Amino acid sequence: MALVNIPQNDRKRVKVYELRNNDWFDRGTGFCAGQVVEDESKIYVESEDHPDRILLETKISRDDGYQKQQDTLIVWTASNGTDMALSFQEAEGCAAIWEFVSQVQAHLLAISGPDDALSDDAMDSFPNPVMLPYPELGNLGEIDQMMRVASSSPQGRDSLSKFVISEDYISKLVPLVETAEDLEGLSELHHLSNLMKMLILLNDTHLIEIMVNDANILGVVGALEYDAEFPNHKANHREYLRDGKRFKEVVPIKEEATKTKIHSTWRLQYLKDVVLARILDDPTFSVLNSLIFFNQVDIVNQLQIADGFLKDLFGIIDSPEATWEKKKDAVHFIQQCCAIAKNLQAPARGQLYNNFVQNGLLKVINFALVATDVSFRIAGSDILVAMIDHDPAMVRAYIYKSINENKTVLTDTLIDLLLDEVDLGVKAQASDAIKVLLDPQSAPQPQPPDTGTRANTDFLSKIRGINSTPSQDTLVQSFYDNAAQKLFQPLKNLKTRDSVQDLTLGEVSLFIHLIEILMFFIRQHLYRSKFFIAAEGLASRIAQLLACPQKHLKLTALKFFRTSIGLQDPFFNDQVTTNKLFEPILNIVYETMPRDNLLNSACLELFEFIKRENIKPMIAHIVENYRQKLEDITYVSVFEELILRYDQMQGYNADMEGTMFTQEEDNNSQARPRLNGASQRWQGVREMDAAEEEYFNTSDDEDELAAKPKVLTPSTNGASPVPRPLVDYPSDDEEAPTDVKIHDYDTRSPSTVHAGSPNTILADTPPSHSPAYTPSPKATPMTASSPLERLSEKRRREEDEEDELGKLSLTKRRGSSVSSISSANGAPTNFLRRKKSFSSAKDANGAKKIAISLAVKSPIDVEHVRDHGG
């Protein structure tokens, strides 16, 4: 028999796997080829990325246990005992390599003998093929021992599997079960049970399929009924499997292969879950799951392509001739198909649901949810949840169509199911379905950072509508218009209830689901939900549940308030403060303190959040209404800190007597410490802004040139006035100590300025470029002849002035206030400005003003300047 090499240009793309610590390790991707080199047949895999690198080089031997699984997988055990696998990209490549391996092994078997192609060393590494005697009751013990020895090595396991399959050994063991039972040979039955367990644990898929076929399954499970570890007990697996009523053919299946596969799959599940549940190891469990999965995929595919099967299946629901039991079986069959679909790949699952929807799946869901039989409702809720998990948009489209056609909406059916259902599992599924279907987001949205600020609330409200479509908006609006009041009616009914101490289990579960739905709405339907909550008064009703004895219901109600307050929305804050809903929360703190349980911790976290985020309206409300209660809670510091924060907001601070600055600056506070009854609150010294910083970095001349208007008032002789400073300070050579004096006087008439001395400068003197100002003839020559003031001199003088003003500001209870420097038109000048002013923004009328006298070495003749800007 001639062996033909696979051409190099016909190499097959493949992944190489190696089993390490019960996990498949990917050795890389490459191209596979089979070659015969020097009478040795080998499989080569060259790396795809590095052609010079060999990922796999294995020699094909006669006794290697090569197995082809599915259409693209070849597995075997190497001579060193390592399990290997080749996963091909295409089924054709797998078939070509498998054909090469089969030819090599057949050739080796044909020429086996002294002159075979294998060397003596290679022959020593392989055990002799396993040969078992013909099974009889007398040699079962010997067969049991031989199987144990063969199962101890990978080569022996493969050889044993091949022998059992080739000799049809299972069919020879099965009749012995009934014979041993007739003879009451318990030891022989125990041997048969051990033999069946060892054959299953060989993990050979072909062998397991033989064991679960119609001819052998009853004998196999009959032997497994007798467990040597429990000699006095016997199971009844055969009785369960013989019950033909468990197989219900809702719609006749014409393909016998499909029916056989359905039966085999059910038997495999029974073996895995019942018969072998105690003895299964991980490899066998994985093999059984793989067989079940691939059988289910084949069954679903065959049913979809069967002529008229789906049409007949879904037609049972609308058929008036079908019995109630027949409809029940149809719903359960669809439920099982949807359960199988969860394990399918996305394309196959999508194809299945599309075919189901086209044949009326959503009608089946509506029918099942309103049925009186609880098994119908359970099956219907399972189908709906599975479909929503796959594609909620498909269900929303159906609801939108029902709204337009004025038919019963699926959400209304779910609401009735949530309110009336007694099964707690169905209630939970209905609640989850309502939240998913009313979610306006068709795709996951990016989560903003949890800053807890108003800006975060605005951002949340913006992103909620990004992917909202008109159909989704219509669905949500229809819900609030027609169904929301019905859904939350049990909460509204609490208003007429005297006590919540006698809630039933069903009521507690219902209230928990309703509160969770409402929390979902205030996060997703911000604008609609807030007005609905206000109109129905739901916040007060939820607060009423804080007095119930069920702690988990209390926690859910508390979670609602934590969620609403966490949104930092003024509307929800007003709802809590206006209705005084903090009182029941404080009552819970009193009831549970000082125990560190979950309920107490949740309450403390709520108040800690309010303090940390400095929610001022709530802090004021809590302290003003419950101050005595807060003072009595001393085992934690959060309430004491709330009171302190409130006092700081009101302007009371224990450290205020020793400093002119408070710990926190609150520009919006209504009460602040005042200076001697002045019209402005004390604000301390602030940092310079950009305009002030620019002023101190420029000279007076630059300021005046920048502020001078384009058109100047002409003088009497038509010449333009010469720009000049208001006061000409002496140069460095003429510098003399400057004496600063502050005079308080009343300037009720802003148009009159009293110059007490030649060197008096008034705080409200208008700038030289004012149209109402004309320099005197005496001052003009002096200004023209004076040198420009240097920047260093100016800054040094200003620092001296700052020192004097600083001393004044640090004097306790100073008897006078300092007003700002303002021009005739109300615009402040930059004269004598430094950091934060002591002045107010009030009009100059009625305010006290400052006159600063400067005593210099050279007398300066300054004309009386009159303020005409008033």
Side-chain angles (χ1 to χ4, degrees), residues 580 582-583 586 622-630:
K580 296 185 177 181
F582 280 109
E583 183 172 356
L586 284 173
I622 294 171
V623 178
E624 289 173 359
N625 291 276
Y626 313 106
R627 187 180 188 115
Q628 185 59 45
K629 282 189 174 183
L630 302 183

Side-chain angles (χ1 to χ4, degrees), residues 498-624:
D498 297 332
S499 173
V500 292
Q501 300 295 321
D502 55 348
L503 296 177
T504 64
L505 181 61
E507 289 177 330
V508 171
S509 176
L510 177 61
F511 287 142
I512 289 176
H513 291 309
L514 292 179
I515 295 173
E516 289 178 346
I517 292 174
L518 197 58
M519 285 189 291
F520 175 81
F521 286 170
I522 66 176
R523 290 193 299 265
Q524 303 299 333
H525 311 154
L526 181 63
Y527 298 109
R528 291 186 177 96
S529 64
K530 63 168 62 174
F531 297 114
F532 177 77
I533 292 173
E536 303 297 331
L538 297 181
S540 299
R541 304 286 74 79
I542 294 176
Q544 191 174 344
L545 293 174
L546 292 171
C548 70
Q550 290 81 8
K551 291 184 179 180
H552 57 293
L553 181 55
K554 287 183 180 180
L555 283 169
T556 306
L558 192 62
K559 184 180 178 182
F560 169 81
F561 293 108
R562 177 62 178 83
T563 302
S564 59
I565 294 173
L567 292 176
Q568 296 277 2
D569 192 302
F571 173 84
F572 291 110
N573 294 346
D574 291 342
Q575 285 287 308
V576 176
T577 55
T578 303
N579 297 307
K580 296 185 177 181
L581 302 182
F582 280 109
E583 183 172 356
I585 300 177
L586 284 173
N587 291 338
I588 293 178
V589 177
Y590 265 78
E591 294 172 2
T592 57
M593 70 177 188
R595 299 190 299 273
D596 293 330
N597 55 20
L598 182 59
L599 190 58
N600 183 269
S601 300
C603 295
L604 296 181
E605 194 277 335
L606 174 62
F607 290 104
E608 178 67 29
F609 174 80
I610 296 173
K611 184 207 67 160
R612 183 176 68 250
E613 298 298 330
N614 196 22
I615 308 177
K616 296 175 183 177
M618 285 196 169
I619 295 176
H621 169 79
I622 294 171
V623 178
E624 289 173 359

